[in-house]
Amino acid sequence: MKIILTHEVPNLGSAGDVVEVKNGYGRNYLLPQGLAIAWTKGGQKEVDAIQRARAARQIHDLDQARTVAEQLKKTDAHIVARTGDGDRLFGSITAVDVVKAVDEAGGPKIDRRRVELPAAIKSVGTYDVSVKLHPEVTAKFKLQVTPAKRRKK
C-alpha cells in the first residue's frame, strides 16, 4: 500500500514522504491515527505543501545543525513549576515546556517534535535533554526544574 506520511513516524519516514507499507499497517494504524493519508495523484499536491512547510522549519545542513548544537550546550534552560509534597510536580514537564524554557533563556529556536525527554519529568532536579537536530547531530543540554515559591496558609 502506498501512503503519504503527514507526521514523522519513527523508523518509517518524515512528514511528506511517500512510502510503501503493508496493507494492514497502513489501514489499521497509520490511516486511523491520522499519521498518513492514502496516496493519490491529487495527494501529490499535499505532499509538496507538507515538504515546503517542513523545509521552512528544518535545519538545512550539517554545519547549521552543529552551530545550533553548540548554542544549545551553552543554554541554561530553567523551569519553575508548582510542586506538592516531596518536591513532586503537579503534572509533568513536556517538550513544549522545554522549548519555551530554551526560548526564554535566549537559546535557538527548536522544534518541539525534535525534543527527546529522558522520561516523564515529574520532580524537581536537573535533567539531561537531547534534541535531534539532524540525522547526524544530537544536541544535549541541562534542564533545571525548580519549585515555585509556596504561599503560606
Side-chain angles (χ1 to χ4, degrees), residues 49-69:
I50 291 170
Q51 287 177 340
R52 278 193 303 274
R54 182 175 59 180
R57 67 175 181 262
Q58 181 180 5
I59 293 178
H60 297 290
D61 60 3
L62 190 58
D63 292 332
Q64 184 183 7
R66 288 187 177 137
T67 304
V68 171

Side-chain angles (χ1 to χ4, degrees), residues 116-118 126-130 140-143:
E116 298 171 350
L117 297 174
T126 303
Y127 297 90
D128 289 321
V129 178
S130 58
K140 293 187 183 223
F141 66 96
K142 299 273 186 199
L143 174 69

Side-chain angles (χ1 to χ4, degrees), residues 84-96:
D85 295 333
D87 286 335
R88 302 265 310 153
L89 302 181
F90 291 124
S92 64
I93 303 297
T94 63
V96 174

Side-chain angles (χ1 to χ4, degrees), residues 95-115:
V96 174
D97 298 327
V98 172
V99 169
K100 186 177 175 186
V102 168
D103 192 36
E104 289 173 354
K109 299 281 186 206
I110 53 176
D111 187 10
R112 67 174 171 78
R113 292 175 287 258
R114 303 278 183 204
V115 174

